[in-house]
Structure formats: structure tokens, C-alpha cells
Amino acid sequence: MIIIPLPPQRLLIGGEWVEADDGQRLTTLSPSTEVELASLAAAGPEDVDRAVSAARQALESKAWRKLTARQRGRILWKIGDLVDGKYRDELATLETLDNGKPIFESKYVDIPSVANVFRYYAGWTDKVCGKTIPTDGPFLSYTLREPVGVVGAITAWNFPLLLSSWKIAPALCCGNTVVIKPAETASLTTLKLGEIALEAGLPPGCLNILTGAGEVAGAALVRHPGVDKIAFTGSGEVGRRIARTAADTFKRVSLELGGKSPNIVLADADFDAAVRGAINGLFYGKGEVCAAGSRLFLEDSIYDRFVEAITSRLPRFEPADPLHEATRMGAINSQAQLERVMKYVGVGKEEGAHLAYGGERASVGSGRGFFHRPTLFTEVRNEMRIAQEEIFGPVLAAIRVGSLEEALEQANQTRYGLAAAVWTRDIKKAHRAAQALRAGTIWINAYNFYDPAMPFGGFKESGFGRELGEAALEQYTETKSVYVSLR
Ligand code: NAD
């Protein structure tokens, strides 16, 4: 058993770790053992009010406003260095204990990626510029880019710290202050980040952390008139509710929602690379990835051979103890999520898809924990529910198509539009697909590749607004037009 110090299980408000006003707590389990992992303070509306006031005060404080852009950048850089330096192993272990993902992913992907996001936005602090603009009349006309103000961030549990960093880093880069509410079942690394940010010299109140229930703390944050913008990652259902509530106070809103992303493999593709891409595209992160390539479109002539190749490699993805470095599939994040996956396996069978691999809960070690076997359905039709509804688990649906055109048409027949991929050696087909696919991210001969410099976000019901890259700076600044009369 690995024993590591847990971060404070209290709320971070104005630089102080405090209990919830009404003393409520929320217990979390480790998904791989079902043993109690933490007892978190559960914030209520009073705490949201305190945190928003603290963020507003910090926004207007000398400590934050007097920092030059470069000084802000140095703090962000330092956070990045602490994340993948002094605290890398601790953060990676916490993420694995809390989320259930393999330590291999936490240590080598999530945590280094978080550090890179902070470093990337550290580089932007002194490059967020307005413009001088030629106008009629004797005027000097220019724009200023100012912080939006107090940002309320709400995140999902699948990449707990990474999703937090996608919001916190650009928000602080642009001079905003933040109140973040991480997901109920995976809050520990965000709490640890609160400690790290203070250690890096971020002034108190610039980052406030409220653990607690979505319908209570999250909803109060969205309603609060002192919040200027909500940055949300999560389900469409909650996203819709947030957009409606935010409209009452005309908050700026960005929504990163679900997906059912197509991964198209054509007959002329590099076969082995495409097989690896199809497997990693869905089974990486247990399929709990918003951009997971859950609909695998295979050209008819390679269909059987491709399915066979995937099936022969899936034993490598049978779940095991997430703390072992060799493990490639960990535990599903919660009982509720496991039940959702099992429900959809049942739906797939009822719909007449062929269960080619897996399809059941797995037993690992002591027999406790929310494990599910990697699952492959073949002979799936695009209109089936398992091809249209987000399962958010290790369930891959293979669909047979006759041509690229047919694949593109079916790929776009979805209410989502987060990501898509195409595998081919034909440069014309590749670019034609990139243009035709209605999704925010397209991979050609790759899957699940992300970079902090590239914008990420959805078309259609996958949300709106873009995170990462220069594009995110739009989300965290207001543009002010200044006319100076020269008469
Ligand atoms: P969820 O919508 O249930 O919860 C997300 C967050 O919203 C949590 O912090 C939750 O506490 C909070 N919340 C719940 N009800 C709320 C309310 N009424 N008001 C305010 N906040 C509330 O989603 P989840 O189950 O945590 O995450 C899975 C979903 O997230 C999937 O649909 C997945 O595709 C999506 N996701 C999208 C991206 C992306 O970048 N597009 C990334 C990761 C996950």
C-alpha cells in the first residue's frame, strides 16, 4: 500500500484553508479499492459567496494588479516547475488514487501536460496585446485587452488536474482571478494545486477552490452575480443548465462537453499504426475521454482483418492495479459510471451488435473496485444507440463502410462534434476528410494528440468556445475600445 500525504481537505478561500460554513463534508472512495480516500469539505452557497468576494478582492488588490505581466508569467512558470518537479510523483499518485487511471498515464501524460499548460501561458502573459486601429477623424484609436474579472471554473473527473489547468492557467495569464469547483469524485490534485500556487507566490485569493456537490456549490457559482465568466467542462445535460442559468446575469460562458468521435480507417492506411491508433484512441484513459474515438469506421476490405488485430491486442488492456507501472487500464471512476458502461453493453447486445471482446465487469486483486473489461462491438450500425450516445467508458463500436464518402457522411451523423480522425496514405483523401468532418479537432494518421498551443473545443452539442492556444485568451479577456481626440 502506498501512503502519501493528502492535501488539505478543506476549502481554499482568500489564501486560507477553511471548513465549509455549515460543516458539511463529502466522502470520496478510491475507485480501485472502494476504500474511503478522503473526506472533503462540501461547500454551500455561503462558501461560494465568501470565495467570490475573496476573488473579487484579490482582483482589485495591489498584490495582483501591481504585478507586471512578466511577474505574473514567472509565477505561472514556477507553478509548472513545481508540478512536474518537486510534486510530480505526489500529484501522479493522487490522480491515480482518486480517478483510477493507470499511474503510467498520470505520471507520464497528465502531470507533465499540466506543467506544460502553465509554462505555455507563462509565455503569453506579456503578449496579450490590443491594437492601434485607423479610424475616421483626428483620433488615435486603440484597443485594450483587460481581464474578464472573476472566473468560475467547473470541471469533470476524467482528467482532474489537466482540466483545471486548462482554465486556471489562461485565466491567471490574462490577470483574472478564479474560483474553481472540481468534480466531486476527483478533487485532490486540484486541492494540491492550491498549495502549489501559494508556494509559487500567487497572491492569496487569486485562486480559490471549492470542493462540493455540483447541484449545490457548482449551481451557486453559476448563479452568483459576482462571477463574470463560467468555464465549464462536463456533460451536455449540466452544460445546458449552466448556459440557461448564466443567461440570467449574462455571464460569459464557455462549454467543453461530450463527444462520440469518429475514427476512420481507410484500406490504404498504415495498418499497424491505425490498429494502435484505434486502440489508444478509445482505451486510453479507460475511454473516459471526451474526445475518445468511440466510433471506428473501417473500410469494408480491411474490416475483418482489422477487427481481428484489435481483438488480439486487447488482452494487454485487461484492467489491473492502477498503481502498477505496467497497467494500461485502471478502474472506472465511480460505481455510477461503471453502471452506465454496463448498461450500454446491454443496450449494444439488445440492438443486435456483435460482442467481439469483453463486455463485463472485471475482478482485480481483492475483487473490489470498479473495473470493466475492454469491450469491442462489431457489426455496429451508426444509428444504434451505442454509436450515438456517449458511453464514456472502454466500449468501442466498429462500423463497416464502403468508401471514404460513406464514412464521412455517417461520421457527421451525430449531435456531437468534438474530434475526428482519418487514417490514409492518400494526401487528398486526408485533407478532404479534414475539411468535411464537422469537429473541433481533426487528427490525420494520429489520435489523442494534444498540445497546449493548439485550440481545443467542440462543434454542435460538444460545446462552444475554445480552450488552449491563443484562442483561449479570447475567453479570458474583454476588449475595450479607446478613442483619443487629437483635435
Ligand atoms: P457532469 O456534467 O456530471 O459534471 C461536471 C462538473 O459539473 C462537476 O464538477 C459537477 O459537480 C458539476 N455540476 C453538476 N451539476 C451541476 C450544476 N447543476 N451546476 C453547476 N455545476 C454542476 O460531468 P462528468 O460526469 O463529471 O464528466 C463527464 C462529461 O464531461 C462527459 O460528457 C465528457 O465528455 C465531458 N468532458 C468534456 C471534455 C471536453 O473538453 N469537451 C473534457 C472532459 C470531459
Side-chain angles (χ1 to χ4, degrees):
M1 166 145 173
I2 292 185
I3 298 173
I4 54 157
L6 293 183
Q9 293 160 59
R10 281 165 283 149
L11 311 174
L12 179 60
I13 299 181
E16 304 288 333
W17 293 98
V18 298
E19 293 297 339
D21 186 64
D22 59 6
Q24 292 284 317
R25 299 199 78 79
L26 173 81
T27 301
T28 66
L29 304 180
S30 183
S32 56
T33 59
E34 297 178 56
V35 169
E36 181 177 328
L37 180 61
S39 164
L40 308 171
E46 298 292 325
D47 305 301
V48 171
D49 203 38
R50 281 195 289 161
V52 173
S53 301
R56 176 68 53 192
Q57 243 177 29
L59 185 73
E60 286 159 9
S61 70
K62 279 201 185 127
W64 188 230
R65 292 190 83 116
K66 287 275 164 72
L67 287 182
T68 64
R70 272 181 212 133
Q71 286 170 326
R72 266 205 323 277
R74 277 203 284 275
I75 295 173
L76 292 182
W77 193 277
K78 178 115 192 257
I79 294 176
D81 280 353
L82 289 168
V83 164
D84 68 355
K86 185 173 166 188
Y87 295 112
R88 183 190 74 153
D89 290 350
E90 190 176 328
L91 285 167
T93 307
L94 280 177
E95 204 70 306
T96 285
L97 290 173
D98 219 6
N99 167 281
K101 64 175 67 195
I103 191 75
F104 167 79
E105 293 181 10
S106 308
K107 201 192 286 185
Y108 301 111
V109 181
D110 286 55
I111 302 308
S113 303
V114 170
N116 282 339
V117 171
F118 277 99
R119 292 200 193 97
Y120 175 76
Y121 283 107
W124 265 113
T125 53
D126 59 358
K127 297 167 196 74
V128 181
C129 304
K131 287 181 178 167
T132 53
I133 299 174
T135 50
D136 281 346
F139 285 100
L140 165 65
S141 305
Y142 63 92
T143 57
L144 294 171
R145 300 276 297 280
E146 297 187 349
V148 171
V150 173
V151 172
I154 301 176
T155 49
W157 43 260
N158 57 334
F159 288 86
L161 192 57
L162 191 57
L163 297 177
S164 295
S165 75
W166 284 18
K167 293 166 174 52
I168 294 169
L172 296 177
C173 162
C174 297
N176 301 279
T177 57
V178 179
V179 179
I180 186 163
K181 203 226 62 82
E184 290 86 328
T185 55
S187 297
L188 292 176
T189 47
T190 301
L191 288 168
K192 183 71 201 174
L193 185 71
E195 275 193 333
I196 292 172
L198 292 172
E199 183 177 335
L202 189 72
C206 291
L207 174 62
N208 304 275
I209 304 171
L210 299 176
T211 45
E215 314 82 63
V216 183
L221 192 58
V222 179
R223 274 196 314 270
H224 202 290
V227 174
D228 298 290
K229 176 199 159 64
I230 291 287
F232 173 74
T233 300
S235 62
E237 192 190 326
V238 175
R240 200 168 277 120
R241 216 173 306 156
I242 286 178
R244 283 200 192 104
T245 309
D248 288 339
T249 42
F250 286 119
K251 287 183 178 60
R252 283 80 184 109
V253 177
S254 49
L255 301 173
E256 295 286 359
L257 309 175
K260 194 76 194 178
S261 299
N263 191 6
I264 301 171
V265 184
L266 301 182
D268 70 352
D270 175 337
F271 189 86
D272 286 339
V275 170
R276 283 196 303 275
I279 291 174
N280 289 324
L282 187 280
F283 296 104
Y284 183 86
K286 308 162 265 164
E288 294 166 347
V289 178
C290 51
S294 47
R295 288 184 298 153
L296 178 64
F297 291 96
L298 299 173
E299 212 169 349
D300 194 33
S301 61
I302 56 163
Y303 190 93
D304 294 335
R305 195 158 67 93
F306 204 93
V307 161
E308 213 179 288
I310 293 185
T311 313
S312 70
R313 291 175 200 210
L314 285 186
R316 178 76 188 89
F317 286 81
E318 288 292 348
D321 182 347
L323 286 167
H324 287 167
E325 288 258 350
T327 297
R328 289 296 174 271
M329 174 110 80
I332 301 293
N333 180 250
S334 64
Q335 172 84 34
Q337 191 58 27
L338 177 65
E339 282 167 10
R340 181 185 171 92
V341 172
M342 296 197 308
K343 179 191 91 177
Y344 274 105
V345 170
V347 168
K349 287 182 193 161
E350 277 163 29
E351 286 180 309
H354 172 66
L355 179 62
Y357 192 91
E360 60 196 349
R361 188 176 183 162
S363 179
V364 172
S366 67
R368 296 179 70 100
F370 311 128
F371 294 96
H372 196 280
R373 296 186 62 203
T375 297
L376 172 67
F377 276 110
T378 57
E379 305 309 335
V380 177
R381 290 189 316 280
N382 192 45
E383 63 275 15
M384 288 180 178
R385 283 180 66 197
I386 56 165
Q388 288 296 320
E389 297 175 18
E390 188 182 41
I391 301 173
F392 217 53
V395 183
L396 180 59
I399 301 170
R400 194 186 286 270
V401 284
S403 64
L404 172 63
E405 274 56 43
E406 192 189 332
L408 292 174
E409 195 185 323
Q410 292 195 26
N412 283 335
Q413 277 164 7
T414 164
R415 61 177 188 271
Y416 295 113
L418 195 55
V422 63
W423 298 79
T424 176
R425 286 193 170 97
D426 182 330
I427 194 168
K428 289 186 194 161
K429 286 183 177 175
H431 288 290
R432 218 163 67 223
Q435 290 185 0
L437 289 162
R438 300 264 303 139
T441 293
I442 309 289
W443 290 288
I444 293 172
N445 298 329
Y447 209 97
N448 263 344
F449 185 79
Y450 306 89
D451 191 285
M454 286 289 274
F456 184 80
F459 283 31
K460 301 195 270 182
E461 291 190 24
S462 290
F464 52 77
R466 291 291 177 270
E467 298 200 288
L468 299 183
E470 187 177 356
L473 304 174
E474 292 291 327
Q475 311 284 328
Y476 293 100
T477 50
E478 291 281 13
T479 299
K480 185 183 273 178
S481 295
V482 182
Y483 295 81
V484 184
S485 171
L486 301 180
R487 202 184 298 276

